[in-house]
């Protein structure tokens, strides 16, 4: 992991405090507009390669219906974002001793009518995902377009988070959450900060 600086949009004390108190944090206006646009363009230009997303039991479209494209470690795709997540990982390791070693990421596209039912990214600590992250790539989002991330925080309180463009949400991978049905195309990069190096 490269030790690069976090951008000014990332207020470290706030991020650490939110994660500690609530198990999640929201960071807005993460990148300068040109980098946000570049990440979105990379995603949009590759939509032909997206595949139906699977859950542990394979593709089950009544649980999730989005399409994804894994971002390989060595690819130039989304490098700026992977570097930011590496920097976040180093910061979280220093403060919470989380032992994060790797970041895995995929682009995700929810077309109109698509959703992801209630789930945890790391049920019963079955995998080594520690922190989940979602970064929203689309250019605009209106509240009546659905697609909200609903998340139960570590104190069992529910939050409805708008998928605002250029917004990053970080949350503990063991928290319950869902993506409500989107009514417009919803583009994102989902990533997991993991404590192991082996892909399962
Ligand atoms: C996921 C997920 C949330 C979102 O991909 O596991 O929960 O807001 N995504 O896209
Ligand atoms: Mn999830």
């Amino acid at each position: 992991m490269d030790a690069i600086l976090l951008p000014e949009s990332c207020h470290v004390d706030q991020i650490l405090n939110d994660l500690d108190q609530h198990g999640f944090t929201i960071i807005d206006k993460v990148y300068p507009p040109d980098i946000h646009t570049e990440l979105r363009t990379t995603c949009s230009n590759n939509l032909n390669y997206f595949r139906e997303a699977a859950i542990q039991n394979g593709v089950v479209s009544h649980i999730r219906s989005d399409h994804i494209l894994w971002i390989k470690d060595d690819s130039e795709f989304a490098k700026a974002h992977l570097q930011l997540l590496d920097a976040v990982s180093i910061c979280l390791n220093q403060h919470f001793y989380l032992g994060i070693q790797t970041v895995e990421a995929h682009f995700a596209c929810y077309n109109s009518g698509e959703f992801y039912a209630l789930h945890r990214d790391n049920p019963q600590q079955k995998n080594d995902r520690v922190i989940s992250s979602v970064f929203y790539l689309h250019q605009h989002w209106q509240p009546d377009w659905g697609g909200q991330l609903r998340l139960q925080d570590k104190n069992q309180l529910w939050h409805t988070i708008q998928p605002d463009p250029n917004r990053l949400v970080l949350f503990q991978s063991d928290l319950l959450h869902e993506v409500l049905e989107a009514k417009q195309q919803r583009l994102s990069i989902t990533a997991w900060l993991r404590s192991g190096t082996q892909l399962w």
Side-chain angles (χ1 to χ4, degrees):
M1 284 183 193
D2 301 331
I4 64 152
L5 288 176
L6 285 168
E8 274 174 33
S9 53
C10 294
H11 301 285
V12 173
D13 290 346
Q14 177 89 49
I15 294 170
L16 295 174
N17 189 58
D18 285 351
L19 283 170
D20 186 40
Q21 300 291 312
H22 308 289
F24 79 103
T25 189
I26 298 174
I27 306 158
D28 279 321
K29 298 198 176 73
V30 175
Y31 296 110
D34 56 328
I35 297 188
H36 182 244
T37 302
E38 190 183 305
L39 289 168
R40 177 178 56 259
T41 307
T42 307
C43 178
S44 301
N45 286 347
N46 286 282
L47 285 173
N48 283 344
Y49 301 106
F50 281 45
R51 296 285 171 260
E52 280 179 21
I55 56 168
Q56 265 159 2
N57 307 328
V59 174
V60 187
S61 58
H62 64 277
I63 297 179
R64 72 182 293 191
S65 46
D66 58 319
H67 289 69
I68 65 163
L69 179 67
W70 285 99
I71 300 169
K72 299 207 185 73
D73 266 2
D74 55 355
S75 84
E76 286 297 310
F77 284 4
K79 213 161 201 163
H81 192 56
L82 294 181
Q83 281 179 348
L84 177 132
L85 293 175
D86 276 354
V88 168
S89 302
I90 289 167
C91 175
L92 297 183
N93 282 347
Q94 278 168 354
H95 288 85
F96 298 129
Y97 308 104
L98 293 182
I100 295 162
Q101 296 189 51
T102 38
V103 174
E104 65 172 346
H106 64 56
F107 291 111
C109 172
Y110 291 72
N111 285 313
S112 181
E114 297 181 348
F115 61 91
Y116 194 163
L118 273 183
H119 67 282
R120 299 175 206 271
D121 293 343
N122 184 356
Q124 288 118 37
Q125 259 88 61
K126 275 199 181 136
N127 58 50
D128 55 20
R129 292 171 170 174
V130 182
I131 298 286
S132 301
S133 91
V134 196
F135 177 67
Y136 300 109
L137 293 171
H138 37 254
Q139 198 167 4
H140 306 289
W141 200 263
Q142 289 180 196
D144 61 346
W145 289 355
Q148 291 87 0
L149 169 62
R150 280 191 72 244
L151 175 84
Q152 187 182 41
D153 74 14
K154 64 188 273 191
N155 310 307
Q156 273 77 55
L157 294 174
W158 282 95
H159 303 265
T160 301
I161 301 169
Q162 296 296 334
D164 286 347
N166 211 1
R167 166 174 277 184
L168 177 68
V169 186
L170 300 172
F171 57 97
Q172 289 176 204
S173 296
D174 57 353
L175 295 178
L176 198 54
H177 59 283
E178 66 181 330
V179 179
L180 302 183
E181 185 181 321
K183 299 197 170 77
Q184 296 279 331
Q185 189 180 67
R186 177 192 194 269
L187 301 176
S188 58
I189 301 175
T190 304
W192 293 275
L193 316 187
R194 296 178 35 196
S195 60
T197 52
Q198 297 293 315
L199 287 173
W200 64 88

